[in-house]
Amino acid sequence: MTAFKRRSVFMVDENSDNHQHNEGAFYSFNPENRQAVLSALQSKLSLTPLQRRISYPRNEMAHINNPQRRFVMDLSIMGFSKISLPLPLPEVSGQWGLSTLFLRIKDSGLIILLKLLLLERSVLVVGETSEEVTACTTALLELLDPYKWASAFMPLLPRDMLDFVSSPVPFIAGMIVEGKQHLHSIIHDHGVKDAMLHGLSIVNLVSGKLIVTREQGTSDMLRRSFQTIPELSLYQKRLEEYCKSSSSNLRSFQSFFKHGASQKESLTLRKIKNVIKKHMSQFTMGLSDKPDAWQQYGEFNEATGTFDFCPDKFIQPLKDRMIFQIQFQEMMAHTQLFVGYVEELQLAHEKRSNLLSGPAAKFIARWVELHWHAKYSR
């Protein structure tokens, strides 16, 4: 006599007029048959070929306005709640991990962090839950696109392996902290402090801070060469507004896993990834302009039969271009045309200041103040 009770299950596309019923099996839970239950779940909790091909529309309006399709399965007979997931499936690292990093350390911190990884400097991500730590560490790997991290990656490091930060090999690692005291002990650990003098940076998800390495020359170079990306700053403000809503699933891993990001949130996150990828790709300018452009920056080694990349061949033209660009701007700064442009900026500033402090501006300010008091004193 079988210990399981068979019953029909449904895989439903809620936006389809014709609901497709897939025959399967529901089983009442019996601890002795745990493995069989898990095997049954594994066989039934899978997308159809059609569902796997569902992707976000390229058109932005269609992305936001099209009805969202879902994968649905009712497991109530086994004591589980109904499973309902948006299609395409939520990206834990690519969406929730990215939004967590973006909202905690902001756009400027994320760009500096990615530049540190491009220099193959180690990064330790510390947070209060395994979900946020592993999602954020994995998100960093994806954000390096078009590059591939070639060194150690440990998304979750055990507490008793903190000495790993002294590794001479660059790494991306995560660690869970249990309270403020534990966090303080990690950041002020002698081994961690020493590692920070040799390239280690810490992403503190608890306080939302990026603690940049104190390696001589590196932090100063990053600070002096940093330039804000206005488009990224705008997307940060937009994402912050979305997350202020209590209905935002980005506020909780559990909610995100069950329901995914909203269509507006997923579009914003896709835009953020596109801007970051464009920014990261600029460092290989010239290498990928044409399919064979990379060949001019190296030599073919006949002895080994391999291509040897020569960094100097790639860097020298960039240095020459920058030198000539600075020479051009220096000459232009001494022209009457450039001086006239600066004078126009000065006059525009003075005109704006006079308007804001003139009688018309004061009259408008008094009028607004009067009506504001009249409205809110009722």
Side-chain angles (χ1 to χ4, degrees), residues 237-248 251 265:
K237 293 179 181 178
R238 183 183 300 179
L239 195 62
E240 288 174 343
E241 286 299 316
Y242 291 152
C243 288
K244 286 180 181 178
S245 171
S246 59
S247 62
S248 174
R251 295 160 60 100
E265 289 170 341

XYZ file of all heavy atoms in Angstrom, residues 237-248 251 265:
117
model
N 17.993 57.838 -7.282
C 16.866 58.561 -6.672
C 15.539 57.887 -7.019
O 14.639 57.794 -6.179
C 16.872 60.012 -7.150
C 18.057 60.823 -6.642
C 18.029 62.241 -7.178
C 19.237 63.039 -6.694
N 19.247 64.414 -7.260
N 15.427 57.414 -8.258
C 14.196 56.752 -8.678
C 13.991 55.457 -7.893
O 12.881 55.174 -7.421
C 14.228 56.463 -10.179
C 12.957 55.832 -10.711
C 13.076 55.491 -12.182
N 13.335 56.669 -13.000
C 13.502 56.624 -14.316
N 13.468 55.457 -14.949
N 13.720 57.733 -14.996
N 15.062 54.684 -7.744
C 14.952 53.414 -7.023
C 14.637 53.652 -5.550
O 13.873 52.905 -4.935
C 16.260 52.623 -7.168
C 16.207 51.138 -6.794
C 15.239 50.389 -7.698
C 17.596 50.514 -6.893
N 15.217 54.698 -4.974
C 14.929 55.039 -3.575
C 13.465 55.393 -3.394
O 12.844 55.031 -2.380
C 15.827 56.196 -3.128
C 17.285 55.806 -2.928
C 18.177 56.995 -2.639
O 17.746 58.142 -2.903
O 19.297 56.784 -2.160
N 12.884 56.098 -4.375
C 11.464 56.440 -4.301
C 10.596 55.194 -4.365
O 9.614 55.072 -3.632
C 11.092 57.399 -5.441
C 11.594 58.820 -5.260
C 11.016 59.474 -4.014
O 9.802 59.327 -3.768
O 11.780 60.120 -3.284
N 10.949 54.261 -5.243
C 10.183 53.015 -5.336
C 10.224 52.253 -4.012
O 9.215 51.705 -3.568
C 10.738 52.129 -6.455
C 10.502 52.654 -7.853
C 11.380 52.338 -8.893
C 9.422 53.476 -8.154
C 11.168 52.813 -10.182
C 9.216 53.969 -9.432
C 10.093 53.634 -10.448
O 9.889 54.103 -11.718
N 11.405 52.222 -3.392
C 11.582 51.426 -2.176
C 10.943 52.064 -0.948
O 10.797 51.406 0.088
C 13.068 51.173 -1.922
S 13.796 50.011 -3.086
N 10.575 53.331 -1.043
C 9.874 53.971 0.074
C 8.470 53.410 0.239
O 7.907 53.447 1.330
C 9.805 55.491 -0.146
C 11.119 56.213 0.072
C 10.956 57.703 -0.170
C 12.282 58.444 0.011
N 12.135 59.893 -0.280
N 7.920 52.879 -0.841
C 6.579 52.304 -0.793
C 6.588 50.993 -0.002
O 7.478 50.155 -0.178
C 6.056 52.057 -2.211
O 4.852 51.324 -2.185
N 5.600 50.832 0.870
C 5.515 49.605 1.659
C 5.227 48.389 0.797
O 5.425 47.249 1.234
C 4.425 49.745 2.725
O 3.166 50.019 2.116
N 4.767 48.608 -0.442
C 4.446 47.493 -1.336
C 5.649 47.010 -2.138
O 5.552 46.020 -2.867
C 3.333 47.903 -2.307
O 3.746 48.983 -3.125
N 6.798 47.694 -2.004
C 7.990 47.310 -2.761
C 8.557 45.998 -2.240
O 8.842 45.860 -1.041
C 9.060 48.404 -2.676
O 10.260 47.974 -3.287
N 12.264 45.558 -0.507
C 12.519 45.824 0.912
C 12.748 44.545 1.704
O 13.275 44.581 2.812
C 11.340 46.586 1.507
C 11.148 47.973 0.919
C 9.735 48.478 1.152
N 9.409 48.559 2.559
C 9.422 49.674 3.284
N 9.759 50.809 2.705
N 9.094 49.669 4.550
N 10.403 48.732 -11.196
C 11.666 48.454 -10.508
C 12.604 47.638 -11.391
O 13.802 47.936 -11.480
C 11.395 47.713 -9.202
C 10.749 48.568 -8.134
C 10.278 47.748 -6.949
O 10.126 46.514 -7.097
O 10.034 48.351 -5.876
